[in-house]
Amino acid sequence: MALNLEWEFRYGGKPIVPIRLTCWQTGKHLDTEAMLDTGADKTFVDSAIAPALGIDLRSCAQLAVVGLSGPAKPIPAMELDVLVLHGTDDPAVTLQVGFVDNLAMTVGNLVGCDFFASFDLGLSHSVRTAYIGRAR
């Protein structure tokens, strides 16, 4: 089966795309950027984003995350709509997004494989271009 790669994005050093996060519980949204990360199981954003979305991280569910640093660590998580911004047919999906302290100071926000369960992804890193489309 062929991939559906409708949207094309140019990027600099890393495959970073514009996204919109929407919290339907608060009715707020925020436009930011995130790196397409096929090595991340989940989507993660910096916890500093939570107040702009009207989210109190102390009241969020906890998501157990295992990373390079070893054992599972609980982090706050909330169901959000994640929208890759491009044109009028923007791809969106509702995901359990984890909030990580100081993520912006390290790798930055990450769109993980949970997003790619609903979307096809192609990367041509030699020309710094990403291609995304709804999975068929």
Side-chain angles (χ1 to χ4, degrees), residues 8-31:
E8 181 177 311
F9 299 89
R10 302 260 184 230
Y11 59 88
K14 297 178 183 176
I16 295 173
V17 296
I19 63 169
R20 174 171 291 154
L21 301 170
T22 302
C23 179
W24 293 107
Q25 292 179 333
T26 64
K28 295 185 177 185
H29 72 269
L30 174 74
D31 293 349

Side-chain angles (χ1 to χ4, degrees), residues 83-106:
L83 178 78
V84 173
L85 297 172
H86 186 271
T88 57
D89 294 325
D90 296 316
V93 65
T94 301
L95 303 172
Q96 182 92 6
V97 176
F99 292 88
V100 179
D101 290 338
N102 302 313
L103 193 60
M105 296 174 61
T106 58

